[in-house]
Amino acid sequence: MCGIFGYANYNVEKTRGQIIENLVEGLSKLEYRGYDSTGIGIDGEHEFGHSAVKAIQLYKQVGKVASLKDEIKSRNPDTAEVLPNHVGIAHTRWATHGGVSQANCHPQPSGDANEFIVVHNGIITNYRELKTLLKTKGYTFSSDTDTEIIAKLFKFLWFDGQVCLLP
Ligand code: GLU
């Protein structure tokens, strides 16, 4: 069991600080569903000249939501930055695969560039087979969770497989 919370807006200006506050507040209400570790991921759009650039930020910590708050504070995010379009996901974990560690906290990323990030409730029963397959395709893993498979499988299907939803 775990707690999953999401917060998204299109064309509604919120500061990074407000988004973080909403996600953390949502997690505190779900703390009873998973209490060994927590994490949030924020996908905000920034204007750079004429183009919008996506940059996903992850904040994770073992322990209660209070520890996550400390972790966020220590990373000193730009809380004043205004993000008109944003998606945030949040998770309180109850570990089933992989011990309680920062690397095993959700969201789990598809790679260093965070192309996809995943929060997950439950167990992926065939994760070993999928992990073996992805390793043969050159993927490396930074956690012991079953969840990381989903993020890496998305990346494999999106960039290296047959799935292409872009025009
Ligand atoms: N199986 C996943 C993990 O151990 C999710 C556990 C949960 O539902 O919190 O990371």
Side-chain angles (χ1 to χ4, degrees), residues 49-62:
H50 294 296
S51 54
V53 176
K54 291 209 186 295
I56 293 182
Q57 295 179 348
L58 297 180
Y59 302 92
K60 309 176 182 196
Q61 192 52 280
V62 299

Side-chain angles (χ1 to χ4, degrees), residues 1-2 91-97 104 106 120-123 145-147:
M1 196 165 78
C2 74
H91 188 262
T92 57
R93 181 171 184 238
W94 188 339
T96 64
H97 291 66
N104 290 340
H106 299 208
H120 159 231
N121 175 33
I123 292 170
T145 64
D146 48 348
T147 307

Side-chain angles (χ1 to χ4, degrees), residues 42-101:
I42 303 168
D43 168 11
E45 219 168 64
H46 315 247
E47 292 293 329
F48 281 114
H50 294 296
S51 54
V53 176
K54 291 209 186 295
I56 293 182
Q57 295 179 348
L58 297 180
Y59 302 92
K60 309 176 182 196
Q61 192 52 280
V62 299
K64 304 266 187 197
V65 175
S67 310
L68 180 67
K69 283 185 188 168
D70 291 342
E71 165 67 10
I72 295 169
K73 206 170 166 190
S74 76
R75 299 257 306 272
N76 197 22
D78 179 2
T79 50
E81 183 183 11
V82 177
L83 302 168
N85 307 317
H86 45 264
V87 178
I89 55 177
H91 188 262
T92 57
R93 181 171 184 238
W94 188 339
T96 64
H97 291 66
V100 177
S101 70

Side-chain angles (χ1 to χ4, degrees), residues 13-32:
E13 291 192 346
K14 297 283 173 186
T15 63
R16 185 175 297 285
Q18 287 172 311
I19 300 165
I20 290 173
E21 209 172 295
N22 276 325
L23 290 170
V24 170
E25 175 64 21
L27 275 192
S28 357
K29 294 193 170 26
L30 294 171
E31 198 158 42
Y32 71 97

